[in-house]
Amino acid sequence: MTESCARADIAGRPDLDRLLRRFYAEAFADPLIGPFFTDVAGTDLTAHLPAITDFWERALFRTADHRRDVFAAHAVLHDARPLTAAHFGRWVQLWQATVDGLHAGPRAERAKAQGERLAVAMLRRLYGPSASTGGGTGGFVPMAALRLRAAALQ
């Protein structure tokens, strides 16, 4: 059995909840982007997780009602401490590694692509349409985050 066959696709809100909890555990601990969650925003994950899950449920399944302006919160963070291509790139790297560690399939691929599109769109809204992602023509280049993948397989 191949690794991709061993991992199921994202099937619903319970999978999103598990995925997002794993992702944010890594993001909060990350030395590059963690301070944005802990120091700048003071994110309370317990309070924030339902809205984030709604966002991803709407993005992947079109079943949740998420009408919040995702960009506005990031613009406030950017005003407090500038968000750079490196920050968005790390977010994408952690997101893609977390998705890959837990899931494989069309929705997992869509979640990874949507995460990258979201990061590029935010970067360009903050810095203008010609803002560089630092990753060449294909956008951010995902990093192999073996620790996340290994943890998912345990």
Side-chain angles (χ1 to χ4, degrees):
M1 177 179 277
T2 66
E3 184 181 331
S4 64
C5 291
R7 293 173 285 129
D9 203 357
I10 301 168
R13 194 170 182 97
D15 286 342
L16 288 172
D17 183 72
R18 179 175 174 231
L19 173 67
L20 290 165
R21 286 180 189 281
R22 170 82 50 87
F23 168 74
Y24 279 106
E26 295 298 329
F28 275 49
D30 185 80
L32 182 62
I33 66 171
F36 282 94
F37 295 105
T38 58
D39 301 341
V40 180
T43 304
D44 174 359
L45 188 57
T46 303
H48 189 57
L49 195 60
I52 286 284
T53 307
D54 285 348
F55 171 83
W56 284 105
E57 187 176 6
R58 181 173 171 84
L60 298 178
F61 299 99
R62 304 285 186 231
T63 55
D65 185 32
H66 185 273
R67 305 239 184 256
R68 291 184 175 176
D69 182 357
V70 176
F71 176 74
H74 292 85
V76 169
L77 287 177
H78 181 69
D79 288 343
R81 185 182 299 171
L83 292 160
T84 67
H87 296 119
F88 286 107
R90 178 64 57 85
W91 187 96
V92 169
Q93 292 166 348
L94 292 174
W95 176 247
Q96 291 186 355
T98 305
V99 172
D100 282 344
L102 294 174
H103 299 284
R107 282 190 210 98
E109 292 304 314
R110 193 171 4 170
K112 292 187 301 182
Q114 180 69 16
E116 185 171 333
R117 280 192 302 273
L118 181 64
V120 170
M122 288 215 192
L123 182 67
R124 291 191 172 146
R125 281 190 70 185
L126 292 171
Y127 289 98
S130 62
S132 171
T133 62
T137 59
F140 298 110
V141 178
M143 163 179 78
L146 298 177
R147 184 167 63 94
L148 289 172
R149 292 183 177 141
L153 299 173
Q154 292 177 358

